[in-house]
Amino acid sequence: MALSQLKQKIRFKDCGFQRRYESRYYWFPEESPPSCLIEVSQRDSYHDMSLYMLINLSNMKIIDIDVEEDRVPYETCPNAIKTYSYLIGEEMSYGKIMRKFPEDRTAGCLHINELLQNAAQSFSSAYAFFLKERNFPPELDEYRMYAGTLDAKSRREIGRHWWMKDKGVRNSCHSFSSQHETPELKEQVKPLDSITAMMVKEFRGSRKDRESP
């Protein structure tokens, strides 16, 4: 049977297995140090567990980590939680965290590893949107239509061109392909800090705050 036919058929069929991941990022820039609390959850018929990571935004290092397990298949599963304390003090970097899984696999947990991967993979995007909300002109922002009079389509295109100022974003996918750029909009976003520039300024500002008496 063709895929298109099966897609219609599953509308009337019970699902054999479903697993959901949810990631939430809570920002506390007013705290000392400024921090982010990450909550990542996994839920299926056998698991209901959440990973919590507290990140110091002034140096991007992990302050603390915790795991809550409300449903796991074995009574031995919670014994693996303490293994992950080695991450405290490590940099919140996807590449570094992926290389830091416990060398002794029997001491860790496959699903905590998955939650870590999810948390680290989405952190850069979450942080970028956090900085955009704080620094991007609201009258140009597609998510703040209450500010200014510019229409939604124009805001989306301005936002797209602004994201593409960053080398890591430009040509990273079809929607951020340079084929969508126009000289007029490139010029319009030229005075605005790129997301990388925002991150650098944020880090330098946090460092100055730490060094001030």
Side-chain angles (χ1 to χ4, degrees):
M1 189 175 291
L3 174 61
S4 58
Q5 293 174 297
L6 287 174
K7 283 171 60 180
Q8 293 300 316
K9 195 171 183 178
I10 63 174
R11 296 172 59 191
F12 310 101
K13 186 175 179 64
D14 289 337
C15 174
F17 179 79
Q18 180 179 4
R19 174 173 289 166
R20 292 185 293 114
Y21 293 93
E22 293 182 358
S23 303
R24 299 181 180 89
Y25 296 79
Y26 303 93
W27 307 101
F28 299 93
E30 73 284 356
E31 294 292 323
S32 182
S35 54
C36 172
L37 176 60
I38 304 173
E39 177 188 11
V40 186
S41 303
Q42 179 192 95
R43 293 183 177 88
D44 58 40
S45 301
Y46 310 96
H47 303 85
D48 186 346
M49 51 196 295
S50 297
L51 166 74
Y52 297 88
M53 301 177 74
L54 185 60
I55 311 300
N56 182 340
L57 294 178
S58 66
N59 58 16
M60 293 302 172
K61 292 188 176 181
I62 299 170
I63 300 173
D64 204 356
I65 187 168
D66 190 22
V67 177
E68 293 183 358
E69 297 182 338
D70 294 327
R71 181 173 64 249
V72 288
Y74 306 108
E75 64 273 12
T76 52
C77 289
N79 295 338
I81 294 175
K82 61 181 182 296
T83 302
Y84 292 86
S85 60
Y86 72 89
L87 285 169
I88 295 174
E90 293 291 337
E91 186 178 338
M92 185 56 178
S93 160
Y94 177 78
K96 291 182 179 179
I97 286 180
M98 291 303 99
R99 293 193 296 269
K100 283 281 186 177
F101 283 160
E103 293 183 10
D104 180 2
R105 294 185 181 183
T106 64
C109 169
L110 287 172
H111 301 291
I112 294 178
N113 290 350
E114 291 171 353
L115 293 175
L116 278 170
Q117 183 175 0
N118 191 302
Q121 196 167 30
S122 300
F123 178 72
S124 294
S125 295
Y127 188 53
F129 278 106
F130 166 68
L131 292 181
K132 179 177 182 285
E133 185 175 352
R134 294 182 71 189
N135 298 285
F136 195 77
E139 66 274 11
L140 303 179
D141 193 346
E142 64 196 276
Y143 299 106
R144 288 181 278 184
M145 293 299 297
Y146 57 83
T149 58
L150 200 62
D151 62 275
K153 183 177 180 180
S154 297
R155 292 172 188 244
R156 282 197 301 273
E157 287 305 315
I158 290 171
R160 189 208 304 249
H161 281 69
W162 174 77
W163 281 111
M164 285 196 289
K165 290 184 66 172
D166 189 89
K167 292 180 180 179
V169 175
R170 192 171 186 267
N171 289 323
S172 62
C173 69
H174 175 70
S175 290
F176 286 136
S177 167
S178 56
Q179 65 180 296
H180 299 299
E181 288 180 319
T182 66
E184 295 79 16
L185 289 179
K186 284 182 69 176
E187 191 65 27
Q188 186 171 351
V189 301
K190 193 173 182 179
L192 303 178
D193 283 338
S194 68
I195 189 60
T196 299
M198 288 183 185
M199 289 181 178
V200 171
K201 284 186 176 180
E202 193 78 13
F203 182 77
R204 287 176 177 171
S206 297
R207 186 169 62 183
K208 286 181 181 178
D209 291 341
R210 294 199 310 270
E211 293 173 351
S212 60

